[in-house]
Amino acid sequence: MDHAPLSAWPWENLGSYKYLLYGPFLARLIYSMIWEKTQNPSWCLHILLLCALRGLVHQLWYSYCNMLFITRNRWILRQGINFKQIDREWHWDNFIILQAFVAGMVLLSFPFLTNLPLWNTKGIICCMVLHMGISEPLYYWFHRLLHTQYFFSHYHSLHHASIVTQPFTAGLATFLEHLMMGVIIGIPTVGTWLFGYGSISLIYGYILVFDFLRCMGHSNVEIIPHALFQIFPFLKYFLYTPTYHCLHHTEMNTNFCLFMPLYDSIWKTINTKSWDLHKRTSSGTCKNERIADFVFLAHLVDVMATSHSPFFFRSLSSLKYSFKLFLLPMWPFLFVLMNFSWVVYKTFVAASYNLRGRLHQTWMVPRYGFQYFLPFAREGINKVIEEAILEADRMGVKVISLAALNKNESLNGGGTLYVNKHPNLRVRVVHGNTLTAAVILKEIPQNATQVFLTGATSKLGRAISLYLCRKKIFVLMLTQSSERFESIQREAPIDCQQFLVQVTKYQAAQYCKTWIIGKWCTPSEQSWAPPGTHFHQFVVPPILGFRRDCTYGKLAAMRLPEDVEGLGYCEYTMERGVLHACHAGGVVHLLQGWTHHEVGAIDVDQIDVAWTAALSHGFKPV
């Protein structure tokens, strides 16, 4: 799209500082509250409140559309939203700022418009007449104009760049388009004022309903039952559906109306597929649902991390998680949600993406990290995980990969509990830690002769120790249990056993610059590392970097192949397009077509096999 006149937003260079443009309204509101003697609320208050409510309408619609556990059966297009579209729609709310300034200028020019009653029944009728008789046909022909060659290439192509629409797509348009949209909205509201029937409730109601219907049309989720049109056939000409507008984004020479297909019918631009496709999509049966080939069974982390869920805030979930101070006011709501999760005994679909024609989903166990360490909660958590595996098996899922605490050794033996209990499972249960071990091991410098390992007798610690000792690298294994150490040492080839050394204190590693952290490490314990040490780690959560003279690695992860589709969320603290290694390990298991379960102890001989397979399928080390 070229930079034609009025295509760019005047404040597009401000970035997120654009919200300072609300400052004059806030200043005027504060001035009127402190120094002016008036019984009526300042018009600035109404503008600011209405802007906030408009943003809330869009956010609530977005949250609903991305609650896949509710809406995925009614999706119209199933490609998903990628990061490119998210970034393109990042400043979707520019139009709210624009229309706030337009409203401010109108009210400053015509002060009498600020003296409106709360309610006027005649105003509703007048507003509907003006909308149906003027705004609807005016928008229709303006929209047709936008689809002519010049206006489409210079203005409207930006909006149509989003094939799979979302509520925020409704706000994605050029400055010129939203100037005209302001006229479309202004005709019923200002016109009703001029006729003497204006009211405060009318302004709020019309604008919020207008935004509601715009979000609905761009939701990509069909919510209007086809039976409604069978009972009231005429209604389909007075209310469009998400399916109706979705067809406009896929077949652009049809379905131009704002909200009323009546005008498409009058001027012969209705897409002939509209009603049949709506009937199929609105059925909401499982026939519309595509079965996932791969499931990553994740879990919640902590109260604040809940805000990173894909159906909360797209601006947060599309970036790696980090604590945000402005989210603190949400803590009480998120805390209530955490307590509510105690009564939920079923996993839910949280996110999805596509890779080489296969659907990958993330299912969420409704349990938080700390709950996995409560003795009385373990049986219930195991039951939820087991039911998720059995559900995946019934559905025909090929691979289900267990995340972090869902494969805890003390909880279920790294997944062996479920495989032993259900020997006839068709779904492959995978912990993915073979690839996790490979990622950690490939990060260790080739010239290393000695490493220090904490969490040495854990599943990953054992595999790393046995692998490194075969490479003739001394492994200082921090453990208080001689029995566990000797058990691992006996697994090593006889000529390699000498390279496994038990240590019981951090002081033993004061000359070793390669630390592999598999157990939480305090600042005082980190202090024994010599300057220049690099901390590799597989402990969850990762240790905090206290040493400025040392470097800290991230959790083992791999970057997805470039042909991934529909990925628009970050996996917790990972960068865009990066998965935890255990997640990637499950994907590789699917792509390789392996038929074995990967549970329990890690097969050291398979570490290099998993690494080679991951690279062959386009995965890249981070």
Side-chain angles (χ1 to χ4, degrees), residues 545-567:
F546 293 100
R547 294 282 301 276
R548 293 189 177 183
D549 57 348
C550 298
T551 54
Y552 293 80
K554 298 180 180 179
L555 292 178
M558 297 204 78
R559 187 172 299 279
L560 275 164
E562 295 180 358
D563 55 343
V564 64
E565 298 175 341
L567 181 67

Side-chain angles (χ1 to χ4, degrees), residues 152-362:
F152 186 84
S153 62
H154 289 79
Y155 296 94
H156 200 46
S157 60
L158 174 65
H159 181 73
H160 275 276
S162 299
I163 303 299
V164 182
T165 59
Q166 288 276 281
F168 295 140
T169 310
L172 179 66
T174 57
F175 184 64
L176 174 66
E177 291 174 271
H178 275 300
L179 279 175
M180 189 60 190
M181 191 63 74
V183 174
I184 301 296
I185 295 176
I187 289 173
T189 51
V190 176
T192 304
W193 283 338
L194 295 177
F195 280 112
Y197 302 129
S199 66
I200 294 174
S201 56
L202 171 70
I203 298 170
Y204 277 85
Y206 177 77
I207 292 177
L208 294 179
V209 169
F210 190 98
D211 283 353
F212 181 91
L213 293 176
R214 288 269 291 167
C215 289
M216 182 189 75
H218 290 85
S219 67
N220 194 42
V221 175
E222 188 54 73
I223 67 166
I224 298 179
H226 190 72
L228 184 66
F229 294 147
Q230 293 177 323
I231 299 172
F232 305 104
F234 68 91
L235 193 59
K236 65 183 180 181
Y237 294 104
F238 290 88
L239 180 64
Y240 79 158
T241 67
T243 303
Y244 189 92
H245 189 71
C246 181
L247 278 170
H248 174 70
H249 275 257
T250 55
E251 302 179 26
M252 292 183 289
N253 292 322
T254 58
N255 296 6
F256 292 98
C257 75
L258 179 56
F259 305 132
M260 297 173 59
L262 172 67
Y263 292 98
D264 279 309
S265 178
I266 292 174
W267 288 301
K268 312 298 182 184
T269 53
I270 281 186
N271 192 308
T272 55
K273 305 175 185 176
S274 298
W275 313 125
D276 289 338
L277 181 59
H278 174 259
K279 182 177 182 179
R280 292 198 302 271
T281 308
S282 65
S283 65
T285 63
C286 290
K287 293 179 181 179
N288 289 335
E289 182 184 0
R290 180 181 167 193
I291 302 302
D293 296 282
F294 171 82
V295 167
F296 182 59
L297 191 62
H299 58 81
L300 300 165
V301 180
D302 56 40
V303 174
M304 293 306 297
T306 307
S307 63
H308 190 68
S309 300
F311 52 83
F312 269 88
F313 300 108
R314 188 165 74 173
S315 58
L316 296 182
S317 62
S318 62
L319 301 172
K320 68 176 184 177
Y321 174 77
S322 62
F323 176 76
K324 301 290 191 303
L325 190 62
F326 68 85
L327 288 175
L328 277 179
M330 287 194 63
W331 194 91
F333 168 74
L334 298 175
F335 181 76
V336 171
L337 189 64
M338 181 194 72
N339 285 282
F340 175 74
S341 73
W342 277 105
V343 301
V344 179
Y345 276 88
K346 188 175 178 61
T347 57
F348 59 91
V349 182
S352 67
Y353 62 90
N354 293 277
L355 181 62
R356 297 171 191 170
R358 296 180 172 95
L359 176 62
H360 295 226
Q361 290 181 340
T362 295

